[in-house]
Every structure is written in structure tokens, then in C-alpha cells.
Amino acid sequence: MQPIAISGILPSASVADIRQTLESGGCSTTDRCGASAGPDDLPAAVWERIKDHPCYSEEAHHYFARMHVAVAPACNIQCNYCNRKYDCANESRPGVVSERLTPDQAVRKVVAVANEIPQLSVLGVAGPGDSLYDARKTFATFDLVAKAIPDIKFCVSTNGLALPDYVDELAQHNIDHVTITINMIDPTVGEQIYPWIYFRNRRWTGLDAAKILHERQMEGLEAVVAKGILVKINSVMIPGINDHHLMDVNAAVRARGAFLHNVMPLISDAAHGTAFGLSGQRGPTPQELKGLQDQLGGGANLMKHCRQCRADAVGLLGEDRGQEFTLDQLPDEVVYDPARRSAYRDVVEAERDDRRAAARAADQALATARDTLLIAITTKGGGRINQHFGHATEFQVYEVDRSGVRFVGHRRADNYCLGGHGDDDRLESVIAALEGIDAILTAKIGDCPRDRLEQAGLVVLEDWATDYIEPAAAAAYQRLREAPPLRRSA
Amino acid sequence: MAYKIVTSQCTACGACEFECPNGAISMKGDTYVINAAKCTECEGQFDQPQCVAVCPVPKTCIKA
Ligand code: SF4
Ligand code: SF4
């Protein structure tokens, strides 16, 4: 998949050129990260701070890119969904190994990426390991990068155990977003998730471990919020262990000032060698996940676009160009060139206003809608339906009803666990992933997959290729409700 | 008396190096190793040998 024609976004490119590029693609997204819709749903001060952060702002994730560097591989706790041979499974996709870098190597990589991918707005440290356990490496990396690229934003992810010790340092380093993974507020639940922690020079197990972790997480959360740092909470949904409990977690973290709560599904597979994988603990189905997210209130403060990207991910959410920027491909010396990033930003500002206006108009047109449809779309970014069905590695799912068009999540289409199987198998897994979806809007689709999808009961529409998502979804709703298209026979 | 690392199991996370009170652990090639001459088994310093307590892989930091 060719995620974006970056070559079209050169400093010399005209605004029209860049817009053209956005229309033909820009972001491509792959699985589950997710946040607030846009400026209408959040306090202005918070929106101002997250609007260019792809992981926090659902709108921004169409336009801006993040990268992670794996500079802090050591961890101070053990999770049952983790196999330490691989990346951290709470923030990263399970079963992958990220390239580990020293802070110096990390800076070279960040600058090389910033020169190549003008959408880059955020640098994160998020496993493997805990960013704040051996925190020197994390902070050294941020210091060096801040010198090279002053306007980049930093974020860290942590399990919270070491967090209370680093609150001042986080504030000094201008880190305005921290993610804490909190899977429980009840140590008897925690006991089933964390076999041990390492704290104050000893290993703790069982209830003691979960109790200490819980207390440190709450203390850290409160202290960081008090510093004015935005805190997002990640929770891994583990059916039968914490699925119902996450309602209480949600209430507790909101009460302490977390601005976003991101519920991610446990991804469990014996092949990953995790305790849960080996014990047969299953992950939630997309319906169970959505059910919980709905119970938690959906809306602005629940993330739904999280992609659980790997710890050395590079690019727009859902795409990973990390393999283009591995150490061996980097020149020994790289010099930062700010021109492309600033040109890109100017265009995005205008484009976002346009899209927002279109989305508002779409919402108004739906005022008389009588029921709810779930519509899946394929996009390469820019908030448009601009991706060929066959190139999609994920579908973004929008809920359409009388209150408008809302992003509610995404479904994977690339199914990385099944790599190597034939296209037929892949289409089967795509159809399974689309369970519950009423219609698919895509830029283009072949006759054969179209027939298969229609046989599976899905409506497939190409009419809104390159259009903005929201008005297209609204128009599709009206089309389906006014004159349901006849299903083509196979 | 010293500990050693079973290098075939080491994930090279570096946690033990970070915790060792005696600077006995360092990176060698792709994994970490313990310098037996510097290792005190954490005697008199901590209740548990620190490398054992922090290592994520069972039976990887063991008595030599
Ligand atoms: S037992 Fe203690 S002194 Fe010896 S290597 Fe491990 S941490 Fe260092
Ligand atoms: S803590 Fe264990 S896995 Fe990590 S570097 Fe030391 S020996 Fe290797």
C-alpha cells in the first residue's frame, strides 16, 4: 500500500497541489485508537492542546502523524498479556519486536522522519518496557529531539508505578500528554492481571503487588493532572476479568481528572506466548468492545480510533512506515528541514475548517432520521473516502442516526495474524470483521469482492469516491432509507 | 559466589543493569552478562538479588 504521495508535498508545492494530495489520500488507518470528534465536543483549552495529536484527536488522526521510538526497553511490572520478547502489549501491537535505539540513534531517526513525513507532530516513548522506569533514556531522547525540532510534541506511556517519582521532570520537559495504562482499581482484579511488580528494590506478587500498583497509579494520575498535564487512560478489556469492572475504572479516572479513556481489546494468541495467550484467555469481540464503549458513554471522552501501534511505529495511525526508517537506512548525519512541515500545517488548517463545515451540514440533514445505520468507509486520510477497497488495511466505522454522523471505531482488514493465507481467506476474514455493518463506502472495488460482500448482506457504494466522509455517510443513509438498492445477484 | 545470566533467554531489556547496585552487569554482544568478580549476590545490600527480582524472564538470572 502506498500511504501518501509525500513527494507531492514539497516546499515548492502550491497549496492546490497539497490539497490535491490530501484528496487522493493522506492517512490510512488500521485498528483501534480513538478519541474525541472535534472542537465541538471538548473544552476549548483542551482542544487547542490536542488538536494536532493523532492519538488524542479523532479529527487530527486524519491529518497528523506520530512516531514512537523504543528507547526504554526495561520494565518494572509483568502483565499477563505481555511476553517480554516482544513489544509492550498495552500500547503496542502484540507479537512484534521494535527496533531498540539509544537516545542518539533515536534523534537521527526522528529528524529523518520529520524531513520525509511532514505530517509528523508527535513523538512518543511507549514500550517495549516502561518509559518512566529507566526514565533517563526517555528524557535524554526528548532533550535531544527538542533541540533539533522545537515544535514537536512529546508524550509518554507508562504503567504508572514509577509515575509519582517523575511528575516534576515531566512538567520540566514540556511533556503535555501522559498515557497511563490502568486496568483495575480493585487489587483483587489486579491480581489476575499482574503476576508481579518490582518496586523499591524487591519483587512483590499477588494482592500486595496489585495494591501497590493501584495506589501508585492513582497518586501519579492526581499529581500529573495537578501539574496541568493532560492524562489519557488506556485500559485493556479482558473478558471475564475486568470487562464489567472497567465501568468503575472509568468513573475513578474521570473523577481524578483524566481527559480521555481509551478501552482497547485484549489481543490474545497462544503464538504470542503470553500468560493469557497460553491459558486460553480470549479477547473481546468487536461487539463486546463497542458495547462497553457505548456503556461508558461514547462521546467526546472515549477514544475509539486507537490503533495499538507498534512501539517503533512511524506515520499516520494505521499505517506504519517504520520499516522505511530503520537504523541501517539512515544517513550518519541528518539535518532538519522545517519547510515541508510548516507548508503542510497551513493547508491542513484550511482543509479541516472545510471538512468541519461539511460535517455540520451533514448532521443537520439527518435531523429526521428514524433509525441507526453503521457505515464502514475506506480512507487514506484527509477525512475523505479515497481508498480502494483492496488496499484497505482497516475500515473506519461511522454511526449514522438523527444526531448525526459519528466515528465509532474501526475494524481491521489486514488481519496480521493470518499473513500468508490466500485472498479468499482474507476476504472471509474481512467479511467476519464487518459483522453488524450495514453499508460500505469505498473509492473503488472489484466486481468479485463486491459480489461476495453483497451476498453477505452488505450494501456496497462507490458513489462518493474522494468526498468527505460525513456528508457521504449522510447521503448514503438517505439513499438506503429512501430507496434501498436492489441487491445484485451473484 | 555470584549470579549469572542465561544469555539464550535474555531479552536484553537492561533492567538488571539498571538495578545492580554494584555495576556488575553490562551489555556484551546482543545480551547482558554479569561480571562475577563484581557480583556480591546483593548480600548485605538487599533482601533479594536485584537482577533476579527485576528480570522478566523466569530462571534467567541464576546462581552461577
Ligand atoms: S546478584 Fe546483585 S550484585 Fe550480583 S549481578 Fe545481580 S544485582 Fe548485581
Ligand atoms: S533483566 Fe533479564 S532479560 Fe533483562 S537484560 Fe537482564 S538478564 Fe536480560
Side-chain angles (χ1 to χ4, degrees):
Chain A
M1 179 187 64
Q2 186 58 40
I4 178 171
I6 298 255
S7 51
I9 309 182
L10 292 166
S12 57
S14 70
V15 165
D17 287 346
I18 302 182
R19 287 209 134 193
Q20 170 67 43
T21 308
L22 275 174
E23 271 165 46
S24 68
C27 150
S28 83
T29 42
T30 308
D31 56 299
R32 56 208 90 93
C33 170
S36 47
D40 300 340
D41 305 307
L42 284 171
V46 173
W47 170 249
E48 200 41 51
R49 289 173 64 183
I50 67 163
K51 70 184 174 64
D52 293 348
H53 195 309
C55 299
Y56 293 142
S57 155
E58 196 274 314
E59 190 195 84
H61 99 282
H62 293 286
Y63 301 109
F64 287 103
R66 52 60 180 118
M67 74 179 284
H68 292 165
V69 285
V71 291
C75 198
N76 48 4
I77 71 172
Q78 178 70 46
C79 309
N80 279 331
Y81 47 74
C82 175
N83 174 348
R84 298 300 314 283
K85 270 195 241 139
Y86 302 120
D87 280 3
C88 180
N90 72 48
E91 183 83 349
S92 314
R93 180 158 305 161
V96 298
V97 185
S98 295
E99 184 178 52
R100 288 165 194 196
L101 305 171
T102 64
D104 286 318
Q105 292 169 331
V107 176
R108 263 206 292 152
K109 178 162 171 172
V110 175
V111 171
V113 169
N115 285 343
E116 204 53 44
I117 301 185
Q119 298 97 324
L120 184 69
S121 67
V122 177
L123 172 68
V125 177
D130 189 79
S131 63
L132 294 181
Y133 168 46
D134 186 354
R136 298 164 308 171
K137 293 175 180 161
T138 302
F139 289 125
T141 303
F142 290 157
D143 283 342
L144 292 167
V145 173
K147 262 184 227 141
I149 311 177
D151 69 344
I152 201 165
K153 289 201 161 140
F154 299 128
C155 57
V156 298
S157 297
T158 176
N159 58 50
L161 184 58
L163 182 57
D165 302 336
Y166 289 103
V167 175
D168 288 334
E169 226 166 319
L170 286 167
Q172 281 156 21
H173 280 83
N174 253 336
I175 290 162
D176 54 6
H177 308 94
V178 170
T179 300
I180 316 174
T181 298
I182 298 182
N183 295 321
M184 53 90 196
I185 52 166
D186 174 355
T188 62
V189 175
E191 209 183 1
Q192 303 168 62
I193 303 171
Y194 307 103
W196 58 264
I197 67 167
Y198 176 90
F199 182 64
R200 300 275 186 259
N201 297 106
R202 59 167 294 194
R203 179 177 288 207
W204 306 78
T205 56
L207 212 51
D208 290 340
K211 224 183 245 166
I212 295 170
L213 180 61
H214 166 59
E215 282 161 14
R216 296 282 290 178
Q217 286 176 333
M218 295 300 126
E219 184 188 343
L221 167 58
E222 286 173 13
V224 170
V225 167
K227 283 274 177 203
I229 297 172
L230 293 176
V231 182
K232 177 189 91 184
I233 305 302
N234 272 355
S235 296
V236 181
M237 179 183 181
I238 311 163
I241 292 184
N242 73 351
D243 43 352
H244 300 298
H245 181 58
L246 287 181
M247 300 284 290
D248 301 334
V249 171
N250 182 268
V253 300
R254 272 169 198 251
R256 287 172 177 79
F259 87 105
L260 269 183
H261 188 196
N262 175 29
V263 177
M264 304 178 300
L266 171 72
I267 299 180
S268 189
D269 184 334
H272 298 151
T274 62
F276 281 152
L278 297 171
S279 73
Q281 169 68 48
R282 69 174 181 91
T285 63
Q287 287 78 10
E288 286 171 329
L289 179 67
K290 183 165 184 305
L292 176 63
Q293 289 175 335
D294 287 349
Q295 271 182 24
L296 291 176
N301 293 324
L302 193 73
M303 280 183 59
K304 281 160 279 173
H305 68 268
C306 177
R307 302 301 197 283
Q308 292 178 320
C309 25
R310 43 185 290 170
D312 59 357
V314 171
L316 291 149
L317 289 189
E319 79 174 7
D320 186 357
R321 300 182 55 194
Q323 297 316 309
E324 297 168 43
F325 297 98
T326 52
L327 260 196
D328 52 329
Q329 299 174 71
L330 295 183
D332 289 338
E333 220 170 296
V334 284
V335 179
Y336 174 53
D337 167 15
R340 283 168 79 186
R341 284 179 70 227
S342 62
Y344 181 77
R345 274 168 190 269
D346 292 346
V347 172
V348 163
E349 269 312 308
E351 174 86 5
R352 286 170 100 169
D353 286 345
D354 261 22
R355 175 171 172 231
R356 256 173 236 150
R360 282 197 197 106
D363 286 355
Q364 277 157 18
L366 286 165
T368 56
R370 278 196 305 271
D371 62 351
T372 303
L373 288 183
L374 277 184
I375 294 186
I377 61 106
T378 58
T379 181
K380 291 192 283 183
R384 294 172 187 271
I385 298 167
N386 51 10
Q387 190 175 40
H388 191 294
F389 176 83
H391 297 166
T393 54
E394 71 168 14
F395 301 93
Q396 294 193 4
V397 179
Y398 287 77
E399 198 167 67
V400 185
D401 60 20
R402 57 141 46 103
S403 54
V405 179
R406 279 177 319 281
F407 175 79
V408 291
H410 51 267
R411 308 270 180 95
R412 294 189 63 89
D414 59 346
N415 216 327
Y416 56 95
C417 300
L418 297 176
H421 288 238
D423 276 351
D424 268 9
D425 290 347
R426 191 169 160 266
L427 197 54
E428 279 310 315
S429 71
V430 167
I431 289 170
L434 288 173
E435 194 185 335
I437 301 290
D438 298 292
I440 299 176
L441 309 187
T442 186
K444 204 156 187 26
I445 183 169
D447 285 342
C448 176
R450 171 191 284 274
D451 288 345
R452 296 272 300 278
L453 289 167
E454 289 179 347
Q455 277 166 26
L458 287 146
V459 176
V460 181
L461 297 165
E462 293 173 335
D463 307 45
W464 294 280
T466 78
D467 285 4
Y468 286 123
I469 294 164
E470 287 83 359
Y477 178 95
Q478 276 152 349
R479 166 98 56 95
L480 259 65
R481 279 304 168 248
E482 274 152 29
L486 290 176
R487 205 162 288 164
R488 291 174 13 153
S489 55
Chain B
M1 287 217 315
Y3 273 77
K4 69 173 183 187
I5 289 170
V6 180
T7 52
S8 61
Q9 300 184 147
C10 172
T11 67
C13 72
C16 55
E17 179 198 32
F18 183 48
E19 294 298 342
C20 175
N22 301 310
I25 305 181
S26 59
M27 186 95 174
K28 196 178 157 203
D30 288 339
T31 65
Y32 284 83
V33 293
I34 295 174
N35 176 349
K38 286 193 179 174
C39 173
T40 62
E41 299 198 351
C42 292
E43 276 289 331
Q45 289 167 296
F46 298 108
D47 305 346
Q48 305 167 339
Q50 295 300 288
C51 53
V52 179
V54 77
C55 180
V57 191
K59 302 199 185 79
T60 296
C61 296
I62 55 171
K63 269 198 187 263

